[in-house]
Amino acid sequence: MNWQIGALVTLEPVSAPGMLHEARLIGCAPGQSLLITPPTLNGCPVKIKESQTWGIRVLVNGNAFRFVSSVQCAHKKPFEYVCLTYPNILMQAKPRRHARHAVLLQAILRHNMGHGRREGHIVNLSEGGACFATSMPAASWGSQAVLDLDLSDGTQLSLQVALRTVQPQVDNGFRAGLAFEDVDQSARAALNRFLASLNTNPSEARPTEAA
């Protein structure tokens, strides 16, 4: 395997799904270890424990691969780095099917099973999903919700979504990765029209007034 030194490494603790950390690949000993920079969460260093297990995603020769790895050790001299176990199995990650568009749209996320509702904004949008940003606390998110979304062309949509990731932000807010589920034909048509308009009129993505 031709590992690319300097490649972006995304780490997700097995014990805390959705908490995505970032590092860089700085070396490897084939069959033994991978060396990475100390992981960060939203730009802030995090503590690493030996034997901690992570889900890893890394670019190799332009392709994204996933594997599970554990921390062997963390060093501070002659510089800070972390040793991960060398992967036994690499699984190629599926490429993203839909292009993302940067937007700023008012939205409400209504959670199922009594998890309440959160007001916020959609900050990127595609045919397949969205990123929901909120300053409201996230004691419990659940896994399913309804997204009430106000498009800037005046269309209002209510979409069933699955929560894929939840990431804390440095401003104490949260960003949730959402995947659309069972979108009906009329909602799909409205969503596609709006996304197509962004390619010809980017200002449509940003309303003049945000809640």
Side-chain angles (χ1 to χ4, degrees), residues 25-68:
L25 183 66
I26 58 175
C28 68
Q32 299 181 40
S33 302
L34 293 177
L35 278 60
I36 63 170
T37 59
T40 61
L41 180 63
N42 301 311
C44 299
V46 296
K47 288 186 176 181
I48 296 297
K49 298 179 180 179
E50 291 188 11
S51 301
Q52 188 175 9
T53 304
W54 299 79
I56 309 292
R57 181 186 173 104
V58 64
L59 284 176
V60 180
N61 297 325
N63 297 308
F65 287 87
R66 296 182 293 111
F67 57 91
V68 175

Side-chain angles (χ1 to χ4, degrees), residues 116-136:
R117 53 178 268 166
R118 291 178 173 83
E119 297 180 0
H121 293 86
I122 295 300
V123 294
N124 71 51
L125 182 66
S126 76
E127 291 181 40
C131 179
F132 176 77
T134 181
S135 60
M136 299 182 69

Side-chain angles (χ1 to χ4, degrees), residues 89-172:
I89 299 174
L90 285 175
M91 296 177 291
Q92 187 164 1
K94 294 180 180 180
R96 190 177 298 279
R97 292 187 298 164
H98 306 294
R100 290 183 175 185
H101 297 267
V103 296
L104 183 62
L105 303 169
Q106 296 179 21
I108 295 173
L109 197 61
R110 294 186 281 121
H111 301 277
N112 296 348
M113 304 300 293
H115 291 290
R117 53 178 268 166
R118 291 178 173 83
E119 297 180 0
H121 293 86
I122 295 300
V123 294
N124 71 51
L125 182 66
S126 76
E127 291 181 40
C131 179
F132 176 77
T134 181
S135 60
M136 299 182 69
S140 179
W141 284 82
S143 60
Q144 304 290 323
V146 174
L147 177 68
D148 295 328
L149 176 62
D150 292 332
L151 302 181
S152 53
D153 63 3
T155 303
Q156 294 183 325
L157 297 177
S158 291
L159 303 170
Q160 292 285 341
V161 298
L163 277 76
R164 299 301 190 204
T165 61
V166 178
Q167 295 179 263
Q169 303 296 298
V170 293
D171 61 358
N172 295 321

